[in-house]
Amino acid sequence: MMITILLIRGLSRQQGHWGEFPTILRRAFNEKNIAVNLAFEDLPGFGIRYRQQSPSTIEKIAELLIPTLEKLHRKTNQKIHLLGISMGGMVALELANRCPEFCESLVMINSSVKPVAHVFQRLQPQAYPVFIKAFLHPYRRESEHQILKISTEKYAQDARLLNYWLYLRENYPPSRKAVLQQIVAASQYLAPIKKPLAQVCLMASKRDRVASHHCTQNLAKYWGIEYYLHPEAGHDIALDEPEWLADNLVNFVQNIYSISFPTI
């Protein structure tokens, strides 16, 4: 049996920022004899879509990704597992809410939504000066360094990683307008009262310095579900603790099907 997961990154990021996580995730599934196809999508204004204008609402951003979801569903003849981190989790949520007929499950990682979290939980006070500096700094390298420092608890001074992020930015240059449009979109997004799918998984990092882990905790309570909490990872948990994230995703998928997958 083959499953397909669509992965979506967050604010001002692109699919290249998943780094080594896709490789680790594939290996974790293969070790459980689960064949997995990983698909990636960039948000408008970023990555391979960097020439595209970014809408200013999550609803309209998600609308532009629906054709990708439909295509994956049609190609595989299966429902798709959605995985989004940070703002990418909001977009994944909106896709699941609009197109449940195409979606098997939803995983939201370190995401924050109204009305369950207040403004200083959704973007913590310590993050404001960092994001302002990153947005306004005239040098791309320093801008990316600011983002890296607030996103990770392990790799803030990793020059090789910073060089790679700078490479992504230089080859797929986002506009400041696109970043602002995303900020507006994320700030306004309202979660549905009920979870959009039967299978929903929420994950958070206790040391997240961007969005408080209480955002995930509150959403879990709002929807009446459990959530996973890593005690030491930062906002980009796929960077800080990819093995932990991958193992919990595999467990989540196994519980959905509750069967033994055939050996690949």
Side-chain angles (χ1 to χ4, degrees):
M1 181 178 182
M2 170 75 76
I3 67 167
T4 297
I5 305 175
L6 177 60
L7 295 89
I8 307 171
R9 289 292 306 199
L11 180 68
S12 82
R13 305 291 85 185
Q14 57 169 287
Q15 57 186 278
H17 288 103
W18 285 112
E20 296 298 318
F21 175 67
T23 299
I24 293 169
L25 184 59
R26 288 190 186 96
R27 183 167 64 242
F29 273 107
N30 289 339
E31 288 174 353
K32 298 296 183 179
N33 296 323
I34 304 171
V36 60
N37 171 45
L38 301 183
F40 304 88
E41 185 56 285
D42 286 324
L43 303 182
F46 301 87
I48 61 174
R49 291 176 177 258
Y50 77 93
R51 291 188 177 92
Q52 190 174 5
Q53 184 175 352
S54 175
S56 59
T57 68
I58 295 295
E59 290 83 357
K60 290 182 179 179
I61 291 173
E63 189 173 299
L64 294 174
L65 271 59
I66 290 176
T68 298
L69 182 60
E70 290 179 330
K71 182 179 179 180
L72 286 171
H73 179 261
R74 186 169 59 251
K75 182 179 179 179
T76 62
N77 196 32
Q78 291 179 333
K79 291 186 175 183
I80 308 303
H81 299 268
L82 299 176
L83 187 156
I85 187 168
S86 192
M87 179 179 161
M90 302 180 213
V91 176
L93 169 57
E94 184 61 24
L95 285 171
N97 199 41
R98 285 196 179 200
C99 307
E101 68 275 18
F102 300 144
C103 305
E104 184 67 47
S105 72
L106 168 66
V107 178
M108 297 173 65
I109 305 165
N110 285 329
S111 296
S112 66
V113 293
K114 297 169 66 177
V116 299
H118 62 67
V119 63
F120 290 120
Q121 287 180 323
R122 302 194 66 200
L123 186 61
Q124 299 193 78
Q126 61 191 308
Y128 280 87
V130 176
F131 277 99
I132 291 171
K133 187 174 181 179
F135 182 75
L136 296 177
H137 205 284
Y139 297 107
R140 292 177 177 176
R141 185 178 187 86
E142 183 56 32
S143 176
E144 285 298 313
H145 194 202
Q146 292 297 318
I147 298 171
L148 179 61
K149 288 192 295 184
I150 198 70
S151 299
T152 176
E153 293 298 295
K154 288 188 173 183
Y155 301 99
Q157 304 302 327
D158 191 315
R160 183 177 178 182
L161 180 60
L162 178 58
N163 287 336
Y164 176 61
W165 281 20
L166 188 60
Y167 165 83
L168 293 175
R169 182 162 175 170
E170 291 176 343
N171 282 270
Y172 306 96
S175 69
R176 287 179 174 173
K177 181 180 178 181
V179 177
L180 283 174
Q181 294 286 79
Q182 283 196 340
I183 291 172
V184 171
S187 67
Q188 296 176 338
Y189 186 59
L190 186 69
I193 295 175
K194 296 180 180 180
K195 61 179 184 176
L197 304 171
Q199 304 296 337
V200 175
C201 177
L202 303 180
M203 298 190 186
S205 308
K206 193 168 186 178
R207 292 191 179 179
D208 188 340
R209 288 175 287 128
V210 178
S212 169
H213 69 277
H214 292 295
C215 297
T216 296
Q217 183 182 53
N218 294 345
L219 183 58
K221 184 177 180 180
Y222 190 61
W223 283 344
I225 61 177
E226 299 295 324
Y227 72 101
Y228 297 86
L229 180 66
H230 193 283
E232 298 178 352
H235 185 67
D236 194 344
I237 193 170
L239 173 62
D240 280 355
E241 296 292 342
E243 289 84 5
W244 180 91
L245 181 57
D247 289 344
N248 280 293
L249 287 170
V250 170
N251 289 338
F252 172 64
V253 169
Q254 284 183 308
N255 288 335
I256 291 174
Y257 295 104
S258 297
I259 62 172
S260 297
F261 288 84
T263 301
I264 301 172

